[in-house]
Amino acid sequence: MSTRTAVITGASSGIGAATARRLASAGYRVVLTARREDRINALAGELTAAGHTAIPYVLDVTDRPAVDAFAAFLEDHGPVEVLVNNAGGAIGTETVATADPADWRTMYDVNVLGTLHMTQALLPRLVDAEGTVIVLSSTAGLATYEGGGGYVAAKHGAHVIAETLRLELCGEPVRIVEIAPGMVRTEEFALTRFRGDKDKAAAVYNGVAEPLTADDVADTISWAVTRPPHVNIDLLVVRPRAQASNYKVHRES
């Protein structure tokens, strides 16, 4: 059994689930957190059957008392070497003038405050273990685009958490890594953003030969985590070859 532990938020699907598989294969005991119990239990069963160690734990990262209870639960499971702040998501494509503030609040709560809650709760143990904090932001956290105001604002917040934390912890034995993916095709991201409209969700990727996959992003996370301890990947931007920026994408006819 591995003594290295990696905690992954939003592990029920997409990048989170793919990251759990990658880190388990790299020798980590993975702690799978998400709100959907059936999904993380199934993933834990899959990983266990493959000879890995996986612990499922139902968690809403926007609920601070629940996050603190999770941190207390981990006290009985040894050191924590890695935290992957993956839980997040986008809702809607309305303009700033027409957006529902409730959607913006939801995105801020999970993308920014969720990352803050988890990082604060586990940071002392990560420092003790000379560990790594991963912040999954987005290219939306680096550049703006129309119709993305709420998500862009939230991911800028996640980007700033990583950047500020790295400054504040300079000299401490902990790495702060930001991974900023561009266009990634997963089963849920676009569908959630377009409120369940399958046609609109599919149109995001129309004509794009090879968008990134969840496993592509998980591969970069695993690579960053497994660098020598003195090597910090401050910011890794990963896009498909067809995407030059948030608003310039090559689409084949």
Side-chain angles (χ1 to χ4, degrees):
M1 180 182 294
S2 172
T3 57
R4 297 179 299 166
T5 297
V7 174
I8 302 113
T9 69
S12 58
S13 66
I15 293 170
T19 299
R21 293 184 180 100
R22 283 275 182 173
L23 291 181
S25 295
Y28 284 86
R29 172 177 57 182
V30 291
V31 181
L32 316 172
T33 74
R35 292 175 298 175
R36 293 179 291 187
E37 184 174 12
D38 58 332
R39 292 286 192 96
I40 55 172
N41 283 344
L43 179 57
E46 171 198 322
L47 294 174
T48 300
H52 306 303
T53 303
I55 301 170
Y57 189 102
V58 177
L59 181 65
D60 179 349
V61 297
T62 69
D63 182 342
R64 184 54 184 261
V67 170
D68 289 339
F70 170 67
F73 163 81
L74 285 179
E75 292 289 344
D76 295 328
H77 292 274
V80 176
E81 284 81 7
V82 177
L83 168 62
V84 181
N85 285 300
N86 167 73
I91 303 173
T93 58
E94 292 80 12
T95 64
V96 171
T98 62
D100 184 345
D103 290 339
W104 283 48
R105 185 175 297 110
T106 296
M107 288 186 279
Y108 189 87
D109 280 347
V110 66
N111 289 286
V112 182
L113 293 183
T115 296
L116 178 66
H117 292 326
M118 292 296 294
T119 301
Q120 286 183 336
L122 298 183
L123 188 58
R125 301 188 66 194
L126 289 156
V127 172
D128 286 346
E130 298 191 18
T132 304
V133 177
I134 299 282
V135 175
L136 243 294
S137 63
S138 167
T139 53
L142 307 175
T144 62
Y145 56 93
E146 298 97 331
Y151 182 61
V152 166
K155 285 305 187 184
H156 270 71
H159 166 68
V160 167
I161 287 176
E163 195 170 58
T164 306
L165 195 58
R166 194 178 302 115
L167 292 171
E168 292 172 346
L169 294 176
C170 183
E172 295 289 342
V174 63
R175 301 184 297 183
I176 311 299
V177 175
E178 179 183 358
I179 307 292
M183 180 182 283
V184 185
R185 177 161 27 195
T186 63
E187 64 268 32
E188 294 185 325
F189 179 83
L191 194 63
T192 299
R193 182 165 211 170
F194 288 100
R195 307 178 195 280
D197 190 317
K198 294 181 180 179
D199 292 336
K200 287 183 178 179
V204 171
Y205 311 103
N206 282 350
V208 181
E210 292 183 287
L212 295 179
T213 67
D215 192 58
D216 290 328
V217 180
D219 184 33
T220 68
I221 294 169
S222 179
W223 176 81
V225 166
T226 55
R227 294 311 85 205
H230 70 287
V231 177
N232 194 94
I233 308 301
D234 285 14
L235 170 62
L236 194 159
V237 177
V238 53
R239 291 187 174 103
R241 186 176 62 193
Q243 185 183 34
S245 74
N246 289 347
Y247 47 84
K248 186 173 180 62
V249 179
H250 174 70
R251 299 180 188 272
E252 299 175 358
S253 57

